[in-house]
C-alpha cells in the first residue's frame, strides 16, 4: 500500500466565494489514498469555509488571521510606491515568521496555496525541502514597467513545482515559467446542478416573486464586479416586469456593523462613498419593486435555477465563474467584453457589452429576457461548452492526474519511502 504524503493546503478567506468554491472542488479531487490533507483557514471574519472544509472530512487548522495577501491583481491595482503597496509588503514581512512556524510544526511534504497572492509562501516551503503548488486564480494587473508582475513570475518559476491555472490566457502570460504548468478549469457540481428544482420551485425556496422576469447578479457589493453598473442598467430597462436579484447585497439594506480594529474601520470608511452611491440607485429600484436582495448563498445553483438571465458587468478583467454556472442551467449570460475572458465568453455563447456601457447592458437585458432564436443559440452553445469543459466529473480527473504525478515526484525525491 502506498505511503501517504502530507499535504498542507492554505486558504486565504473565511467566507465563501469563488476561490473557496474552487478550493472545495480541488480538495474533493486530490486523491486521499495518496495524500493526508490538512487545511489552514483563517476564521477572523467567518467560520464558513472552515466548516465546509471540515465537512469534507479534512483536518482543519483555524488561524486567527489570513496569511498576508500580496494585493496586486486585476481589480486591486495600486501604484508601485503607493501606501497600499508598501503596506502589503510590510504585511508579508510581518506574517513570514507565522507561516515559517506553521511549516515547521506541520512538516508537510507538499504545500498548496490557493491563490497567486500567496506566492511568497513558495520560497518558505522550498527552503524546507517541501514541494510547492500554486493555484493561480487571479488575472495579472496592468502596471507600468511590470515590476511586480515580474517579481511574481520569478517567485513562481523558482520556488514552485506546479502552477495550476484556470485559463489558457493566464497560462500564456506565464509561458516562460520553469516549473510544471497546467490548466484545470474551475468546475461546477454537475450532479447537484442536474438535480436543481424547477424555476417556480427555486423561486419559492428563495422567496422570490413568481410573476417577474428575474435578472441575476451574484457579485455582491463589489466595484470590481460592477454592482453600480448592475443597478444603473436595471434602472434603464423598460420592461415593467423585470427585476434584479442582487445576491450579497445586505449592505444595501442597512449599514454593516462597525468592525473592530483601526485598519478594518479605515477600509470601511473608504468604501462608504461607493456604498452610498449604490444605495441611491437601489432605493429608486426598490420603490418600484424592481430589486430583490438575497444574502450570500452557499447553494448558488438555486439562484441560477430561479433566474431568467445572468448579469455579470465586471469593471476589470477577472475569472468569471458565473459564466459557466449559468451555462449549466441554460441561463443567458450578459457580461463585459474583455480579452482576458473571451476564452469563456466570446459573443457566440453570451452577450458581450463594453465596459461601463450602462445603456448597452440595459439593452442586452431586454434582449436576453425577450428570448428568440439568437438567444437560444447562445444559451445552447454555452451549455455545450461548460458540460464538456467545466463539469466536476471532467475536472476531477484532471486534478487526480496532476497530483498523482506530483506524488510520484515527491516519492522520487524522498527515495526510500514506500510509494508502490
Amino acid at each position: 500500500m502506498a505511503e501517504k504524503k502530507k499535504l498542507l493546503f492554505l486558504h486565504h478567506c473565511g467566507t465563501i466565494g469563488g476561490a473557496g468554491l474552487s478550493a472545495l472542488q480541488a480538495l474533493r479531487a486530490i486523491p486521499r489514498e495518496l495524500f493526508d490533507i490538512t487545511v489552514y483557514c483563517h476564521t477572523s471574519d467567518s467560520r464558513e469555509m472552515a466548516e465546509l472544509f471540515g465537512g469534507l472530512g479534512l483536518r482543519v487548522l483555524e488561524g486567527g488571521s489570513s496569511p498576508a495577501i500580496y494585493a496586486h491583481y486585476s481589480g486591486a491595482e495600486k501604484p508601485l510606491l503607493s501606501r497600499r503597496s508598501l503596506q502589503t509588503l510590510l504585511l508579508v514581512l510581518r506574517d513570514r515568521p507565522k507561516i515559517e512556524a506553521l511549516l515547521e510544526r506541520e512538516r508537510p511534504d507538499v504545500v498548496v496555496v490557493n491563490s497567486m497572492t500567496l506566492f511568497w509562501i513558495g520560497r518558505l516551503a522550498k527552503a524546507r525541502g517541501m514541494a510547492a503548488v500554486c493555484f493561480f486564480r487571479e488575472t495579472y494587473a496592468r502596471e507600468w514597467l511590470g515590476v511586480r508582475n515580474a517579481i511574481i513570475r520569478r517567485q513562481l518559476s523558482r520556488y514552485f513545482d506546479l502552477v495550476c491555472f484556470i485559463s489558457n490566457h493566464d497560462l500564456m502570460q506565464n509561458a516562460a515559467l520553469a516549473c510544471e504548468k497546467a490548466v484545470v478549469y474551475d468546475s461546477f457540481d454537475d450532479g447537484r446542478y442536474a438535480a436543481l428544482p424547477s424555476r417556480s420551485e427555486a423561486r419559492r425556496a428563495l422567496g422570490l416573486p413568481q410573476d417577474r422576469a428575474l435578472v441575476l447578479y451574484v457579485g455582491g457589493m463589489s466595484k470590481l464586479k460592477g454592482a453600480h453598473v448592475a443597478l444603473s442598467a436595471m434602472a434603464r430597462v423598460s420592461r415593467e416586469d423585470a427585476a434584479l436579484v442582487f445576491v450579497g447585497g445586505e449592505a444595501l439594506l442597512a449599514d454593516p456593523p462597525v468592525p473592530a480594529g483601526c485598519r478594518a474601520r479605515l477600509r470601511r470608511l473608504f468604501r462608504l462613498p461607493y456604498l452610498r452611491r449604490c444605495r441611491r440607485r437601489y432605493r429608486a429600484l426598490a420603490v418600484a419593486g424592481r430589486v430583490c436582495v438575497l444574502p450570500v448563498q452557499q447553494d448558488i445553483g438555486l439562484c441560477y435555477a430561479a433566474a431568467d438571465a445572468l448579469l455579470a458587468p465586471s469593471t476589470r478583467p477577472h475569472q468569471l465563474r458565473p459564466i459557466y454556472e449559468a451555462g449549466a442551467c441554460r441561463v443567458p449570460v450578459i457580461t463585459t467584453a474583455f480579452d482576458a475572458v473571451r476564452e469563456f465568453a466570446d459573443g457566440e455563447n453570451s452577450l458581450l457589452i463594453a465596459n461601463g456601457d450602462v445603456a448597452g447592458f440595459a439593452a442586452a437585458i431586454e434582449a436576453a429576457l425577450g428570448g428568440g432564436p439568437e438567444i437560444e443559440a447562445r444559451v445552447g452553445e454555452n451549455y455545450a461548452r461548460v458540460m464538456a469543459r467545466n463539469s466536476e466529473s471532467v475536472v476531477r480527473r484532471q486534478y487526480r492526474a496532476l497530483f498523482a504525478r506530483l506524488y510520484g515526484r515527491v516519492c522520487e525525491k524522498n527515495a526510500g519511502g514506500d510509494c508502490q
Side-chain angles (χ1 to χ4, degrees), residues 161-391:
D161 299 85
L162 168 65
V163 179
C164 194
F165 301 95
I166 56 176
S167 76
N168 281 302
H169 175 270
D170 294 322
L171 175 63
M172 294 305 296
Q173 287 192 320
N174 293 276
L177 296 188
C179 59
E180 181 182 0
K181 303 174 289 292
V183 174
V184 180
Y185 292 113
D186 272 337
S187 65
F188 61 91
D189 184 344
D190 38 338
R192 168 57 184 150
Y193 274 63
L196 286 171
S198 67
R199 181 169 294 170
S200 62
E201 290 171 337
R203 291 184 177 189
R204 191 176 301 114
L206 293 167
L208 296 173
Q210 298 285 350
D211 59 347
R212 292 278 189 169
L214 298 182
V215 180
L216 179 65
Y217 166 78
V218 297
M221 285 302 304
S222 168
K223 189 173 182 179
L224 167 67
K225 296 179 181 179
H228 59 295
V229 180
L231 292 163
S232 298
M234 198 66 213
R236 294 199 186 193
V237 173
S238 60
R239 281 188 57 155
E240 293 183 357
D241 67 334
L244 181 69
V245 178
F246 195 114
V247 178
E250 298 95 323
L252 293 171
L253 305 176
D255 284 329
V258 178
C262 182
R263 282 179 52 220
R265 290 184 180 183
L266 281 173
R267 283 198 301 269
R268 179 178 181 273
L269 180 64
F270 286 128
R271 291 191 69 234
L272 280 178
Y274 182 71
L275 175 58
R276 288 168 181 160
R277 176 182 170 192
C278 290
R279 273 187 181 168
R280 286 194 297 270
R281 298 173 187 186
Y282 160 74
R283 286 169 184 150
L285 289 171
V287 169
R290 301 188 61 193
V291 60
C292 307
V293 174
L294 295 177
V296 174
Q297 303 288 307
Q298 282 195 14
D299 186 5
I300 195 66
L302 204 58
C303 295
Y304 292 105
D308 295 289
L310 170 76
L311 179 60
S314 57
T315 59
R316 292 285 190 278
H318 71 291
Q319 306 305 324
L320 286 171
R321 168 182 288 276
I323 290 172
Y324 51 86
E325 290 174 333
C329 293
R330 300 179 187 267
V331 172
V333 172
I334 306 158
T335 190
T336 310
F338 288 121
D339 288 341
V341 300
R342 287 188 185 276
E343 189 174 339
F344 308 102
D346 59 6
E348 293 184 7
N349 69 333
S350 54
L351 294 165
L352 296 182
I353 309 300
N355 188 10
D357 182 1
V358 171
F361 279 109
I365 290 171
E366 297 202 10
L369 296 180
E374 289 188 7
I375 297 300
E376 291 175 3
R378 286 184 170 97
V379 169
E381 176 65 21
N382 200 26
Y383 177 78
R385 290 184 190 183
V386 302
M387 294 306 294
R389 180 181 64 193
N390 299 105
S391 67

Side-chain angles (χ1 to χ4, degrees), residues 17-33:
L21 290 172
S22 299
L24 292 168
Q25 290 158 0
L27 288 166
R28 283 195 289 265
I30 295 173
R32 303 284 183 92
E33 67 272 19

Side-chain angles (χ1 to χ4, degrees), residues 397-408:
R397 290 195 294 272
Q398 296 171 325
Y399 271 129
R400 286 186 64 85
L402 278 175
F403 277 85
R405 289 202 302 272
L406 179 66
Y407 176 83

